[in-house]
Structure formats: C-alpha cells, structure tokens
C-alpha cells in the first residue's frame, strides 16, 4: 500500500466525521474554523521514526530534533500560517535514555522553535523497544482563510520561496562521509572543513529553513516541497485542475544540486506557490500556470515520482 491509499482507507472509516477544515486530508495542514475575528487556526502533525525518516549514522541527534519540527513549521507555512506553538510526543528506546542524547534532540528542535517563535506547549513520553519515534503537532494562525493547493489559475506565475535540490545534494555528501567509515572528527568540524557549496548542501539537509509564510501574501495556491518538485508540483496541479509549465530550473538550483535533486530529491521545505502576474512576489520564478493538467517542462511531461515512505519500506524489504 502507498501513503495515498492508506489516507483513503482512513478517510473512508471516518466518512462525514472528517472535519470540513481538513480539506479532504489533501492539503499540508487543516483549518480549525475561527470562533471570533478574522484569524483562522491551522493544525498539522508529523511523525518521524529513526531509521525511516532520519538516520543518526549520518548526523548528530540535534539535527533529528530540528528536522522533525521543520517539517511541521513548513506545513504551517504552506497554508500561509505563522506558528503559534507545538506539542510533541516521544517514544524512547533504551539507548536513548541518556541525558545528553535527549538534550541534543531537544536542543535541535529548540533552535528552530526560537527562529520561528514556535513555543513548546507540552507533550507526552513513553518507552519503546523499537526505534525512536518523535510525533509533533503544530498550530499556526492565518489572517483570513488558509492558502490551499487548489486555487491556481491559468495566467498565474509559478514561484519557489527558495532554491531546491540542496537537501538531496547534502544527503549525497553525508552518505559519502558515512561510506568512508567512522571518523574521530566531530561533525561540526567536518562541516566547516567542506568547500562552501558542499557545506551549504549539507546544511540544507540537516537544518532546512522552512519557507516564510509572509511570501504568500498574494498567492493563489501554495504547498511545501517536501517530497521533490516533480511529485509536489503534480499534486498542486491536480488540486487546482491546471497544468504547470516549468521553466528552466537553473536559477532555482541550490549549490551543488542537480536537476534530478531538485525534481526528485525532496526534504527542501521551500514553498511552491502561484500568484497573479501583477503580484509583487519575493521568490524565484520557475514557471507558469496554463489550462490543462499535469506538469510539463520543455514539451515533456514531468511524472509524479518522488518520495513515498511505504514504497521505500517495500524496496528495503526486497
Ligand atoms: Mg507538506
């Protein structure tokens, strides 16, 4: 089963009890309808599992904590929401019951919490004999209504809030280091010793900076690029029932990143959005919206291939 099929099964079981603000479970976050005033609250949740979503053979625990929160903040940003705060739950295995490891994990999340003013409201702890599990639920506020994946109109331009492909390029550098065998050199010292482009790619992987929701002020549709531009742009095109024409991506490539990294790498957490051509936008223009369906580049269809947790697990099992 793929992620999308599992979501359908869950949706079927809840039927009419899926909240209207959940947008059919198809957007980056859900809206809790406003009680008073013009602000809506947005909620999102993400779970990360050691060995599936993060690999401590590649980087210190601090970055696992940072990345776990980054995914959530990015989903809030994708709806145009500014963080209000978050709660988290940890299922901790015995090797992690060590003061310094837990402190490192928490420090990583705290770095981003401070950067984006997303305070911790609480959480829960349990023990497990399996891998470490970190589940985060984050809340955000949006002026008016959230920006959704549906809303792009023919004639709009397509934008990215920042470069893409860096996280995949960084992962390649991290894997090379791992293949070279255990090193006594501390991670930070190694990172500082790298050429600028490679260090920047590694940082894009271990400390991705989620897109700023402020860039979506005049956006007609938005989402975050978490699974790769190819699959995510296809999701936006499908939700908006339009065709996205990608221009040359050269200007949107992160240092050390290839086109392949940008299209199929994922975990960049930049915002992908559309806006009317008259709008003043702070971003990288990567294409335009036309009538039709799918994502196209230079006359060829860009297939929706990218990251799927369960496809990867099946692959590992074989
Ligand atoms: Mg998302």
């Amino acid at each position: 089963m793929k992620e999308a099929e599992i979501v359908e099964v869950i949706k079927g079981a809840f039927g009419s009890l899926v909240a209207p603000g959940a947008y059919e479970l198809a957007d980056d976050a859900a809206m809790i309808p406003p009680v008073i005033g013009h602000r809506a609250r947005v909620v999102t949740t993400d779970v990360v599992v050691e060995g599936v979503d993060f690999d401590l053979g590649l980087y210190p625990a601090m970055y696992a904590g940072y990345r776990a929160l980054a995914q959530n903040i990015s989903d809030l940003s994708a709806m145009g929401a500014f963080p209000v705060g978050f709660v988290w739950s940890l299922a901790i295995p015995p090797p992690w019951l060590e003061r310094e490891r837990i402190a490192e994990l928490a420090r990583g999340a705290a770095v981003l919490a401070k950067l984006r003013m997303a305070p911790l409201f609480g959480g829960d702890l349990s023990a497990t004999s399996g891998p470490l599990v970190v589940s985060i639920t984050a809340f955000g506020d949006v002026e008016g209504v959230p920006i959704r994946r549906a809303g792009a109109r023919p004639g709009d331009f397509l934008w990215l809030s920042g470069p893409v492909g860096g996280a995949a390029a960084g992962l390649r550098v991290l894997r090379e280091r791992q293949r070279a065998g255990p090193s006594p050199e501390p991670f930070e010292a190694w990172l500082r010793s790298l050429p600028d482009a490679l260090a920047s790619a590694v940082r894009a992987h271990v400390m991705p900076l989620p897109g700023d929701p402020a860039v979506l002020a005049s956006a007609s549709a938005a989402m975050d690029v978490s699974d790769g531009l190819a699959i995510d742009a296809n999701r936006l095109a499908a939700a908006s029932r339009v065709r996205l024409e990608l221009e040359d991506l050269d200007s949107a490539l992160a240092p050390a990143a290839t086109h392949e990294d940008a299209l199929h790498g994922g975990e960049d957490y930049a915002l992908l959005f559309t806006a009317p051509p008259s709008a003043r936008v702070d971003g990288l223009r990567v294409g335009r919206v036309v009538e039709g369906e799918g994502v196209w580049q230079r006359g060829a269809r860009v297939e929706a291939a990218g990251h799927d947790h369960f496809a990867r697990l099946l692959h590992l099992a074989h």
Side-chain angles (χ1 to χ4, degrees):
M1 267 177 118
K2 290 188 162 188
E3 283 183 57
E5 295 169 281
I6 295 171
V7 172
E8 283 309 312
V9 169
I10 293 170
K11 223 162 86 177
F14 278 85
S16 63
L17 285 171
V18 176
Y23 304 131
E24 307 276 308
L25 307 181
D27 269 88
D28 292 284
M31 176 187 63
I32 302 170
V35 181
I36 27 165
H38 300 288
R39 274 174 174 260
R41 185 141 291 175
V42 158
V43 62
T44 182
T45 189
D46 260 297
V47 60
V48 294
V49 178
E50 183 180 3
V52 178
D53 301 287
F54 62 93
D55 182 351
L56 292 168
L58 295 176
Y59 43 75
M62 167 179 166
Y63 299 108
Y66 179 103
R67 282 163 47 91
L69 184 58
Q71 287 186 20
N72 283 269
I73 302 285
S74 179
D75 280 330
L76 294 179
S77 293
M79 308 297 285
F82 292 84
V84 169
F86 73 99
V87 292
W88 69 349
S89 296
L90 310 176
I92 303 174
W96 276 82
L97 285 173
E98 190 189 297
R99 190 183 185 87
E100 194 39 42
R101 285 192 97 180
I102 294 293
E104 233 195 280
L105 181 85
R107 270 202 302 272
V111 166
L112 185 60
K114 190 173 180 190
L115 268 176
R116 283 302 164 85
M117 292 180 289
L120 175 67
F121 279 92
D124 193 25
L125 299 174
S126 191
T128 176
S129 56
L132 178 79
V133 177
V134 180
S135 172
I136 296 184
T137 299
F139 300 89
D141 269 6
V142 62
E143 200 70 50
V145 291
I147 301 155
R148 300 188 48 202
R149 295 177 181 185
R153 285 185 210 96
D156 286 352
F157 289 149
L158 181 68
W159 299 85
L160 279 169
S161 63
V164 286
L171 183 59
R172 217 164 27 240
V173 180
L174 289 164
R175 286 202 173 127
E176 264 168 47
R177 180 183 190 239
Q178 189 182 40
R179 266 197 300 274
S183 157
E185 191 180 22
F187 186 84
E188 309 301 332
W190 168 75
L191 191 51
R192 277 195 299 274
S193 74
L194 289 176
D196 285 352
L198 299 186
S200 151
V202 171
R203 282 199 191 89
H205 187 87
V206 298
M207 291 186 85
L209 191 61
D212 182 352
V215 305
L216 301 180
S218 47
S220 50
M223 66 181 300
D224 68 330
V225 184
S226 55
D227 296 337
L229 195 51
I231 193 164
D232 287 329
N234 270 288
R235 287 168 175 155
L236 194 143
S240 291
R241 298 165 190 264
V242 293
R243 175 194 284 203
L244 299 177
E245 294 274 0
L246 288 181
E247 282 156 15
D248 198 4
L249 291 174
D250 283 354
S251 62
L253 292 184
T258 64
H259 283 247
E260 177 65 20
D261 294 334
L263 286 171
H264 304 293
E267 299 188 306
D268 286 309
Y269 302 114
L271 299 173
L272 176 70
F273 60 103
T274 58
S278 58
R280 276 243 209 108
V281 174
D282 179 16
L284 304 163
R285 210 182 112 183
V286 290
R288 54 199 202 93
V289 182
V290 297
E291 280 186 34
E293 56 172 333
V295 178
W296 294 71
Q297 191 181 32
R298 283 185 229 105
R301 190 151 189 164
V302 178
E303 296 299 335
H307 180 81
D308 187 300
H309 286 97
F310 303 101
R312 193 176 149 228
L313 282 183
L314 289 175
H315 178 72
L316 290 175
H318 283 110

